[in-house]
């Protein structure tokens, strides 16, 4: 959990926790409106901080350091102070604290560098550390919410002044452990200490927390409270640097609260005037066909089909700027996990999910093909800090080979290392997307089995009609909210709702994963009016037939077998069909029967002008159709208008440069 926090730099923890507390506060607001207000309280607290520093910098101002980037740090510290709480409502409190806290942390990053030992290239590990000493006196105003009589949650702000800010830093040669020094003849360098340069004198944080009151006497005037708090720093430690000192605090507090004075008597309740019930609504379902035409009394059919999909493997591993560390989005296994890894058990129809197992798929297949070898080519963007940096390219290739060797036990002799600047077939390196795509390692093999596409087979569901349109009867005024419920048997299928008057058309698509049998779907419309009045329509039913493959076999019905093939690795800005794409087309051609319906769709990434991309996608689709040489084929070019994957990722853009062939073959049981 701490690792997840550090990687995200705390971006999501505070919003989620705040939402949780606000929801609890809202619920309790309604539940405790009639309770007597509590008395004010004062007390002291003490606890331990778990300091979780988020960082994104390479060195302190004016202090030499060779670290590529510090990203996180941890530490512990003391927290003590005074507190005061005053009730505003029975469920709402004004709470403030004046306290002292220690925010010490150690920022540590390891870096792999290439060194020369006996005229041979070797890898060394350098550890960069900054040990910070920070102390703070702060004032914390906040609002508290009573979730129950003894449990309270809080949200607020913290503003404080730093009392101290010192640091010590050094860089140590960790590996090899028995020999080697830096250029200064020692195993440490860049040793500095002193006051933190350009430190801000203050810190502002958002905070949230909770505490549980345990009474220590019968009068309930003295309380011991276990507490947990989370401080999310909004200001950095050093001006101009992304270094923030977040903290999680575990504390105990002792508070004294004098007995509350009796409150005023409850107000006299006046019963509202009883108004006549509004008219009962009506709701009718219509089907909508593929042309958009409506038809009455629709019958829904959910049908199973056998679905085969070919997922091509993009043989590239992309790297962040100026680093040889394999990004965390790639699935990295332990030796034990690798031994039980199965390609067939990757349960996903998403090609990117399968691609992120690229190194494991290559490792598995090289085990199964002991005579196969690969070439691992490290590349760089040849821009900025990566300009002409062949050492970085080699380190990237070595990181891939190291994983395959250490986790998958593939001998290094079967993995040739090469290093170059730009890839042989580079993306446009004058734009950011192209620069990002050129920071990669390419895996090549003469053995087709190593990088051949992954084939998945499963059962897919189709629904007809695609759309159901519900129409309400006469308009009803003064509706504050409406809700359409759909139920199959005793299971809720879906809820469609809205504010104000019911729209003329309510369009709905069946969530197929929620139906499992041939049973009608019952539906009804409920209208809600001010004053908690509600009226419901009569229950109607929507006939539904669930047609499985086994049922079609027993009834000897006509069926369809659906296959989908994706072609990627198109050269940037070109429509040629060659290499691996040619092998895939040979496979597809052999499987197409004369009575099959073939659809070919072309797609592109976002690089370039939209009109040009549309033309390029159509050109690629037509080139594929020409190579297939089939008569019954539909060709469409979508360009960048329908992205299949995330265009913000280099691998997403590569998989968007695709042509998808869908083959639907009739089957008669």
């Amino acid at each position: 959990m701490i690792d997840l926090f550090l990687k995200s730099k705390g971006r999501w923890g505070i919003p989620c926790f705040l939402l949780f507390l606000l929801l609890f506060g809202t619920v309790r607001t309604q539940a405790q409106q009639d309770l007597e207000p509590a008395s004010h309280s004062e007390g002291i607290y003490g606890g331990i901080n778990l300091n979780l520093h988020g960082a994104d910098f390479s060195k302190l101002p004016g202090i030499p350091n060779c670290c590529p980037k510090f990203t996180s740090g941890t530490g512990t510290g003391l927290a003590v102070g005074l507190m005061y709480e005053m009730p505003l409502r029975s469920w709402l409190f004004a709470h403030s604290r004046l306290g002292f806290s220690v925010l010490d942390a150690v920022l540590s990053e390891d870096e792999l560098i290439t060194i020369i030992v006996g005229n041979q290239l070797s890898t060394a590990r350098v550890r960069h550390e900054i040990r910070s000493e920070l102390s703070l006196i702060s004032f914390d105003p906040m609002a508290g919410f009573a979730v129950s009589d003894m449990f309270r949650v809080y949200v607020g702000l913290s503003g404080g002044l730093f009392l101290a800010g010192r640091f010590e830093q050094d860089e140590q040669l960790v590996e090899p452990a028995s020999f080697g020094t830096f250029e200064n003849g020692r195993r440490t360098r860049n040793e500095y200490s002193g006051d933190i340069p350009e430190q801000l004198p203050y810190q502002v944080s958002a905070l949230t927390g909770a505490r549980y009151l345990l009474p220590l006497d019968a009068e309930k005037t003295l309380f011991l409270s276990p507490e947990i708090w989370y401080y999310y720093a909004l200001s950095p430690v050093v001006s101009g640097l992304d270094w923030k000192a977040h903290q999680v605090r575990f504390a105990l507090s002792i508070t004294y609260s004098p007995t509350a004075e009796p409150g005023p008597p409850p107000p006299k309740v006046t019963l509202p005037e009883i108004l006549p019930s509004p008219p009962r609504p009506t709701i009718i379902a219509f089907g909508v066909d593929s042309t958009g035409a409506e038809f009455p009394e629709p019958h829904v059919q959910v049908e199973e089909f056998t679905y085969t999909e070919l997922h091509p493997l993009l043989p590239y591993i992309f790297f962040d700027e100026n680093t040889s560390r394999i990004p965390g989005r790639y699935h990295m296994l332990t030796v034990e996990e690798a031994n039980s890894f199965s390609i067939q058990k990757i349960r996903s129809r998403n090609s990117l999910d399968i691609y992120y197992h690229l190194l494991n798929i290559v490792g598995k297949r090289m085990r199964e093909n002991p005579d196969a070898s690969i070439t691992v080519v490290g590349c760089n963007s040849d821009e900025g800090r990566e300009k002409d940096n062949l050492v970085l390219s080699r380190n990237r290739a070595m990181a891939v080979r190291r994983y395959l060797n250490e986790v998958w036990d593939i001998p290094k002799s079967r993995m040739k290392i090469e290093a170059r600047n730009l890839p042989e077939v580079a993306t446009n390196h004058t734009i950011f997307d192209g620069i990002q795509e050129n920071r990669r390692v390419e895996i090549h093999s003469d053995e087709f089995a190593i990088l051949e596409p992954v084939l998945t087979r499963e059962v897919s569901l189709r629904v007809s009609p695609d759309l159901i349109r519900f129409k309400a009867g006469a308009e009803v005024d003064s509706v504050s909210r409406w809700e359409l419920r759909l139920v199959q048997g005793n299971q809720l299928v879906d809820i469609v709702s809205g504010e104000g008057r019911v729209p003329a058309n309510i369009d709905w698509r069946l969530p197929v994963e929620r139906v499992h049998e041939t049973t009608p779907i019952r539906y009804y419309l409920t209208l809600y009016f001010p004053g908690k009045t509600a009226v419901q329509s009569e229950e109607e039913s929507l006939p539904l037939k669930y047609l499985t493959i086994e049922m079609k076999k027993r009834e000897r019905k006509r069926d369809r077998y659906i296959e989908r093939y994706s072609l990627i690795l198109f050269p940037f800005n070109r429509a040629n069909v060659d290499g691996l794409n040619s092998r895939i087309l040979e496979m597809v051609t052999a499987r197409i029967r004369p009575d099959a319906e073939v659809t070919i769709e072309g797609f592109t990434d976002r690089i370039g002008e939209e009109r040009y991309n549309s033309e390029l996608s159509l050109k690629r689709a037509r080139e594929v159709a020409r190579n297939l040489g089939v008569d019954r084929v539909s060709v469409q070019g979508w360009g960048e208008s329908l992205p299949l994957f995330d265009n913000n990722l280099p691998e997403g853009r590569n998989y968007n440069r695709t042509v998808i062939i869908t083959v639907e073959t009739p089957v008669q049981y």
Side-chain angles (χ1 to χ4, degrees):
M1 181 63 72
I2 293 174
D3 287 343
L4 179 61
F5 174 90
L6 294 175
K7 290 177 182 177
S8 67
K9 300 183 185 175
R11 291 189 184 97
W12 303 112
I14 189 72
C16 294
F17 202 4
L18 286 174
L19 179 60
F20 168 79
L21 297 184
L22 289 174
L23 288 175
F24 257 113
T26 302
V27 171
R28 199 58 187 175
T29 297
Q30 302 300 322
Q32 293 197 344
Q33 288 180 348
D34 298 327
L35 294 181
E36 293 293 334
S39 176
H40 73 274
S41 63
E42 56 264 351
I44 59 175
Y45 71 88
I48 296 295
N49 289 337
L50 175 58
N51 301 322
L52 306 171
H53 288 210
D56 188 4
F57 68 92
S58 58
K59 64 179 181 179
L60 295 174
I63 307 298
N65 198 312
C66 298
C67 180
K69 183 188 293 184
F70 290 99
T71 60
S72 61
T74 59
T76 57
L78 178 69
V80 294
L82 307 174
M83 55 187 288
Y84 179 81
E85 187 170 278
M86 179 177 66
L88 303 177
R89 296 284 188 274
S90 62
W91 50 271
L92 179 64
F93 303 83
H95 188 101
S96 61
R97 297 189 173 208
L98 180 66
F100 169 83
S101 58
V102 176
L103 306 181
D104 296 356
V106 176
L107 283 72
S108 179
E109 298 288 338
D110 284 1
E111 179 187 14
L112 298 179
I113 63 174
T114 301
I115 61 175
I116 300 176
V117 179
N119 295 325
Q120 297 291 324
L121 291 178
S122 182
T123 300
R125 185 184 302 275
V126 177
R127 180 161 297 156
H128 309 268
E129 278 194 0
I130 296 178
R131 297 174 288 281
S132 63
E133 298 177 2
L134 299 168
S135 59
L136 183 78
I137 186 167
S138 62
F139 176 69
D140 305 341
M142 64 193 84
F145 302 89
V147 178
S148 67
D149 290 341
M150 295 300 171
F151 182 54
R152 295 176 187 174
V153 295
Y154 301 84
V155 291
L157 293 173
S158 173
L161 297 175
F162 283 110
L163 302 179
R166 294 186 57 79
F167 80 100
E168 294 180 0
Q169 83 160 35
D170 57 44
E171 299 174 28
Q172 300 181 27
L173 184 59
V174 179
E175 293 178 4
S178 59
F179 63 91
T181 65
F182 291 113
E183 63 277 5
N184 60 6
R186 302 171 55 202
R187 292 180 64 83
T188 59
R189 67 180 180 186
N190 287 337
E191 297 173 88
Y192 294 91
S193 63
D195 293 335
I196 296 176
E198 300 184 26
Q199 179 187 3
L200 288 180
Y202 61 86
Q203 173 161 296
V204 178
S205 301
L207 67 87
T208 184
R211 66 191 188 109
Y212 192 88
L213 282 67
L214 302 172
L216 299 179
D217 58 356
E219 293 77 22
K220 293 187 178 181
T221 59
L222 193 63
F223 296 87
L224 175 68
S225 302
E227 305 178 347
I228 182 170
W229 299 89
Y230 175 42
Y231 286 70
Y232 179 85
L234 303 175
S235 59
V237 176
V238 174
S239 177
L241 287 189
D242 189 353
W243 176 12
K244 294 182 179 178
H246 315 294
Q247 55 180 301
V248 176
R249 178 179 300 164
F250 304 94
L252 287 174
S253 64
I254 296 179
T255 55
Y256 172 76
S257 178
T259 304
E261 294 294 329
K268 183 179 180 181
V269 177
T270 303
L271 295 177
E273 180 184 357
I274 299 177
L275 300 175
S277 298
R280 192 171 191 179
T282 59
I283 187 80
I284 303 174
F286 291 83
V288 181
D289 63 23
S290 58
T291 66
E294 297 179 1
F295 58 91
E297 300 180 359
H299 286 64
V300 177
Q301 179 169 289
V302 179
E303 187 173 359
E304 290 183 353
F305 295 95
T306 302
Y307 187 90
T308 298
E309 185 163 6
L310 192 75
H311 303 273
L313 287 178
L314 179 67
Y316 304 155
I317 300 293
F318 295 98
F319 288 79
D320 296 332
E321 182 182 4
N322 202 37
T323 179
S324 60
R325 181 180 302 167
I326 298 175
R329 61 184 181 272
Y330 292 95
H331 296 299
M332 312 294 281
L333 307 180
T334 63
V335 174
E336 293 75 16
E337 290 170 336
N339 289 333
S340 60
F341 175 76
S342 171
I343 299 174
Q344 289 72 31
K345 291 182 180 179
I346 304 176
R347 298 296 184 187
S348 178
R349 286 179 56 181
N350 186 297
S351 293
L352 271 191
D353 291 342
I354 296 173
Y355 159 77
Y356 287 133
H357 273 291
L358 173 64
L359 293 181
N360 301 316
I361 293 171
V362 170
K364 179 74 171 180
R365 289 174 173 175
M366 289 191 73
R367 278 188 180 180
E368 296 171 346
N369 297 270
D371 295 330
S373 61
I374 62 173
T375 301
V376 185
V377 183
C379 307
N380 62 63
S381 65
D382 206 22
E383 295 281 341
R385 292 189 293 174
E386 295 192 7
K387 182 70 175 178
D388 201 28
N389 195 343
L390 291 177
V391 173
L392 175 63
S393 298
R394 182 175 181 83
N395 285 342
R396 286 172 173 170
M398 290 178 65
V400 170
R401 185 176 72 172
R402 185 181 308 112
Y403 176 76
L404 292 173
N405 173 252
E406 294 177 357
V407 175
W408 286 95
D409 198 27
I410 307 302
K412 294 181 180 180
S413 60
R414 297 174 58 193
M415 298 180 286
K416 180 183 177 182
I417 294 291
E418 292 183 3
R420 57 182 299 139
N421 288 316
L422 287 175
E424 182 177 357
V425 181
T427 310
N428 183 355
H429 62 279
T430 64
I431 60 176
F432 174 77
D433 284 355
I435 293 172
Q436 192 182 41
E437 290 182 30
N438 292 331
R439 298 195 296 254
R440 70 193 190 213
V441 164
E442 299 181 351
I443 300 175
H444 302 282
S445 178
D446 293 334
E447 181 63 51
F448 177 70
I450 301 302
L451 295 171
E452 70 174 322
V454 174
L455 193 67
T456 61
R457 289 187 176 89
E458 58 186 61
V459 173
S460 180
L461 297 174
R462 284 194 178 181
V463 180
S464 70
D466 293 337
L467 184 70
I468 299 295
R469 179 166 293 159
F470 294 97
K471 294 177 179 288
E475 292 186 356
V476 179
D477 294 327
S478 304
V479 176
S480 60
R481 187 169 64 89
W482 58 270
E483 181 180 272
L484 174 64
R485 283 183 173 252
L486 301 104
V487 179
Q488 186 184 47
N490 296 323
Q491 300 296 318
L492 178 66
V493 175
D494 204 358
I495 297 177
V496 186
S497 61
E499 303 293 329
R501 187 174 288 180
V502 183
N505 296 325
I506 304 174
D507 289 345
W508 177 72
R509 297 183 187 277
L510 174 68
V512 293
E513 69 279 359
R514 299 183 190 172
V515 296
H516 306 284
E517 58 183 352
T518 300
T519 303
I521 292 179
R522 309 190 315 279
Y523 61 91
Y524 55 89
L525 177 67
T526 304
L527 304 182
Y528 297 89
F529 298 87
K532 298 184 179 180
T533 302
V535 291
Q536 180 179 305
S537 70
E538 290 187 4
E539 189 175 271
E540 306 287 348
S541 68
L542 191 62
L544 181 143
K545 184 173 184 179
Y546 195 101
L547 195 57
T548 67
I549 294 174
E550 289 302 318
M551 291 170 61
K552 289 187 283 188
K553 288 180 179 179
R554 288 197 304 267
E555 299 173 13
R556 298 187 177 275
K557 290 182 176 290
R558 290 184 62 83
D559 198 0
R560 286 175 292 173
Y561 184 75
I562 303 173
E563 299 171 286
R564 176 175 158 137
Y565 304 89
S566 299
L567 280 68
I568 60 170
L569 296 180
F570 283 96
F572 177 73
N573 207 28
R574 288 156 56 190
N576 304 47
V577 176
D578 50 25
L580 181 60
N581 286 341
S582 296
R583 297 286 297 269
I584 296 175
L585 281 183
E586 291 174 5
M587 183 189 310
V588 176
T589 303
R591 296 179 64 89
I592 296 179
R593 289 182 3 196
D595 56 349
E597 295 181 7
V598 180
T599 302
I600 301 176
E601 300 170 284
F603 302 84
T604 67
D605 61 14
R606 67 185 178 191
I607 300 176
E609 296 182 359
E610 183 174 356
R611 180 177 178 181
Y612 178 81
N613 283 340
S614 179
E615 294 172 353
L616 178 60
S617 67
L618 182 58
K619 186 184 298 183
R620 287 173 175 168
R622 285 174 174 170
E623 182 66 12
V624 169
R626 187 185 67 81
N627 280 266
L628 277 181
V630 295
D631 297 328
R632 299 176 59 186
V633 60
S634 171
V635 178
Q636 177 71 51
W638 298 106
E640 61 183 86
S641 63
L642 296 175
L644 304 174
F645 303 97
D646 187 354
N647 262 316
N648 293 316
L649 295 171
E651 59 269 24
R653 293 191 294 275
N654 273 266
Y655 272 96
N656 279 335
R657 299 174 198 142
T658 186
V659 170
I660 295 178
I661 306 169
T662 303
V663 181
E664 295 195 16
T665 305
V667 177
Q668 181 66 55
Y669 296 115

